[in-house]
Amino acid sequence: MSEINKAIRGTGDVLPDQSYKWQFIENKMIETARLFGFKEIRIPVFEHTEVFTRSVGDTTDVVQKEMYTFEDKSGRSITLRPEFTAGVVRSVIEHGLVNCALPVKTCYVGACYRYEKPQAGRLREFHQFGVECFGASKPTADAEIITLANTILENIGIKNLSLEINSIGCPECRKVYHAALKEYLNSHSEELCDTCKGRLERNPMRVLDCKSPICSKIASAAPVMLDYLCNDCKEHFDGVKAHLSAADIDYKINTHIVRGLDYYTRTVFEFVSGDIGAQSTVCGGGRYDGLVGQMGGPQLPSLGFAMGLERLLMVMESQNVEFKPEQPCDVFIASMGEKAEIEATKLCCMLRDEGFCAVTDITSRGLKAQMKYANKIGATFSAVIGDNELMHGSCNLKNMETGEERQVTLPDGLVEAVYDFQINSVFEDLSDSVEGIETLFQNK
Ligand code: ATP
Ligand code: MG
């Protein structure tokens, strides 16, 4: 296949027969976030490169290896967003949201771009849902966003995830920790990968996030940040744990979570799945108390998380989570002749005004081909409009599954008949459920 007939490596298409799954999870996420007081924010796909280098950090994998950066025609350096937090922070500062009633609670969904080695669960264009909360310093806030992530994951039907939490302290206690970590890493400096050798002086914690097997092995025996927390950070972490326990949310402490982005402080967390192989982190987040100030805004303690939609879909597929199937076409109206075509279009408009999916032929093909199409798109009902129907002002509405037909008067009888059917099918569903409950009781 020639290049132009193939999507770029590491990108993918969501085809029409799959998109309802994406709509389902995205809607559930935004709706659940709304229940917690978060409102959607939409930001550009690209920003000035500095938005990311200054926030994500220039010793991180994202900035050093993964960004899609290019010069635009005026010579500015532009980067496709590798994540949302930096852009959202830029936006809330630019528009003065940081001066509004605090905390400001935002959520987002959209594509991110990272030049990584494509593999299962790791793409070059992928999608995230996430939240950012500005102006909340207490452990209650950390617990609230973790609870929100947990509720979203439950609401989309995922099970068996484990929540892992850690604290990576504040700039004060981290200084002491960095010194201890550097000392340890220096004793292994020869074995570290080249990138990590370069990071050792400026940001030794980045070595702990390196994916190379040798660096990971060295990292596993390194001193841990939790042992170096100052009193305030320790108290904060204890508060987060207490709130999570009170909310009945299970967690594990994982001293190795440092997160791949520099802006984090104090609480960091991940939701991990055992069902999708190596790329197992489906959600990552934490607190970033210094970032808003560092980006030119006021000092505003803030926090957030992001979840990867492709990875979540993989977990859902592996756990056979049932998605509510897309509403198929309710009524297909076939037409024969020019006048009938116009009438069919009018009838479709009426049905659509009532919220039904109505489709008619727009290719002027023969009746047989039209009915074949109605079958293929899974229409629940069909009706044929020809000269006879036009003359008598009535047509037959056919149930495509049972073959049952009912004569209806045009135009109002058609809409009524479709409603009638819907009500009947709701009753049938209800009586099925009642029967189910009765059987359940009888079997007890
Ligand atoms: P990883 O350690 O897997 O590289 P990360 O720490 O780089 O993840 P974050 O920057 O925290 O990831 O992004 C949040 C979430 O976005 C991840 O938990 C994951 O679900 C998803 N994600 C990150 N990178 C990719 C990618 N290249 N392809 C698909 N999903 C991704
Ligand atoms: Mg990564």
Side-chain angles (χ1 to χ4, degrees):
M1 217 185 264
S2 89
E3 287 250 294
I4 63 156
N5 292 324
K6 262 183 151 177
I8 288 177
R9 194 162 120 84
T11 71
D13 303 302
V14 177
L15 298 179
D17 67 343
Q18 294 296 310
S19 53
Y20 72 98
K21 297 181 180 174
W22 287 75
Q23 287 163 359
F24 168 78
I25 62 173
E26 287 174 4
N27 291 341
K28 268 272 186 291
M29 287 169 168
I30 292 176
E31 178 53 21
T32 310
R34 190 185 69 80
L35 300 179
F36 281 69
F38 287 76
K39 286 191 186 162
E40 190 185 0
I41 184 168
R42 298 187 182 202
I43 56 166
V45 165
F46 53 83
E47 300 269 354
H48 291 294
T49 299
E50 227 190 319
V51 170
F52 303 111
T53 48
R54 275 181 50 183
S55 55
V56 172
D58 54 10
T59 56
T60 58
D61 270 357
V62 171
V63 169
Q64 286 189 327
K65 304 176 182 169
E66 299 169 3
M67 291 205 308
Y68 275 93
T69 298
F70 58 95
E71 268 190 11
D72 71 4
K73 291 197 193 307
S74 67
R76 279 186 220 106
S77 180
I78 302 290
T79 294
L80 301 186
R81 63 184 178 216
E83 54 114 51
F84 275 74
T85 307
V88 173
V89 170
R90 191 269 311 138
S91 173
V92 297
I93 297 172
E94 179 177 341
H95 300 288
L97 300 192
V98 285
N99 307 315
C100 297
L102 296 174
V104 170
K105 295 172 158 189
T106 63
C107 66
Y108 57 79
V109 60
C112 297
Y113 302 85
R114 297 186 190 179
Y115 193 78
E116 303 199 65
K117 190 165 168 247
Q119 52 200 289
R122 196 174 289 288
L123 295 146
R124 290 183 174 170
E125 180 184 66
F126 62 99
H127 298 79
Q128 286 188 341
F129 169 87
V131 309
E132 313 295 349
C133 171
F134 301 96
S137 63
K138 300 291 178 196
T140 331
D142 307 53
E144 185 179 82
I145 67 154
I146 293 174
T147 307
L148 169 56
N150 194 56
T151 311
I152 287 175
L153 296 164
E154 271 176 17
N155 284 354
I156 59 173
I158 288 186
K159 296 183 192 72
N160 302 331
L161 293 181
S162 58
L163 165 64
E164 302 185 352
I165 64 170
N166 190 21
S167 173
I168 55 169
C170 64
E172 292 311 309
C173 50
R174 217 179 289 162
K175 262 189 226 146
V176 188
Y177 173 62
H178 272 188
L181 183 60
K182 251 190 228 170
E183 196 182 313
Y184 167 80
L185 292 174
N186 270 328
S187 64
H188 295 275
S189 62
E190 288 308 305
E191 302 151 64
L192 293 174
C193 77
D194 286 345
T195 321
C196 283
K197 279 186 187 129
R199 289 161 162 169
L200 193 54
E201 264 317 299
R202 287 180 53 212
N203 198 343
M205 271 170 83
R206 289 277 63 92
V207 179
L208 305 180
D209 198 51
C210 180
K211 302 263 186 309
S212 106
I214 297 176
C215 296
S216 305
K217 187 153 175 262
I218 295 170
S220 64
V224 296
M225 182 68 226
L226 278 192
D227 295 335
Y228 290 81
L229 292 184
C230 63
N231 282 340
D232 285 352
C233 286
K234 191 173 174 314
E235 204 178 296
H236 185 93
F237 195 48
D238 288 342
V240 176
K241 290 187 283 184
H243 273 91
L244 289 178
S245 301
D248 223 9
I249 295 182
D250 287 338
Y251 62 85
K252 274 198 294 234
I253 292 179
N254 179 347
T255 55
H256 288 108
I257 299 180
V258 292
R259 314 283 306 120
L261 317 162
D262 271 356
Y263 47 65
Y264 286 111
T265 51
R266 294 192 165 170
T267 318
V268 285
F269 63 91
E270 291 183 354
F271 283 85
V272 183
S273 165
D275 291 326
I276 51 169
Q279 269 50 257
S280 55
T281 305
V282 292
C283 172
R287 182 167 272 291
Y288 47 89
D289 288 345
L291 182 59
V292 179
Q294 194 185 311
M295 296 276 286
Q299 283 305 328
L300 210 56
S302 305
L303 64 171
F305 66 73
M307 28 182 91
L309 302 195
E310 284 82 359
R311 289 190 197 173
L312 287 173
L313 277 160
M314 283 167 69
V315 178
M316 293 169 86
E317 301 282 351
S318 81
Q319 295 185 355
N320 295 319
V321 172
E322 279 197 24
F323 294 88
K324 192 170 163 276
E326 198 175 38
Q327 173 80 14
C329 167
D330 293 307
V331 189
F332 180 84
I333 303 190
S335 62
M336 290 188 297
E338 261 173 50
K339 273 193 191 151
E341 236 172 42
I342 293 169
E343 184 62 20
T345 304
K346 277 192 200 157
L347 291 170
C348 279
C349 288
M350 282 180 70
L351 285 162
R352 291 170 193 149
D353 283 348
E354 297 297 319
F356 295 112
C357 167
V359 176
T360 188
D361 179 55
I362 47 173
T363 60
S364 302
R365 59 187 155 190
L367 185 60
K368 210 168 151 197
Q370 290 186 44
M371 295 317 290
K372 215 168 162 184
Y373 182 72
N375 252 321
K376 280 201 174 141
I377 62 172
T380 312
F381 290 106
S382 68
V384 181
I385 308 290
D387 289 344
N388 234 351
E389 284 74 16
L390 290 176
M391 200 165 68
H392 293 108
S394 68
C395 73
N396 279 350
L397 181 69
K398 180 175 173 184
N399 182 327
M400 297 285 280
E401 203 187 334
T402 60
E404 184 192 331
E405 291 197 37
R406 191 192 296 183
Q407 200 185 32
V408 297
T409 317
L410 293 174
D412 295 343
L414 185 63
V415 176
E416 275 165 30
V418 178
Y419 264 129
D420 206 36
F421 170 79
Q422 278 213 330
I423 291 168
N424 281 339
S425 72
V426 170
F427 274 122
E428 272 166 27
D429 283 353
L430 272 178
S431 73
D432 280 355
S433 320
V434 172
E435 265 175 35
I437 294 168
E438 279 171 1
T439 336
L440 210 71
F441 274 102
Q442 278 159 10
N443 291 345
K444 276 248 156 187

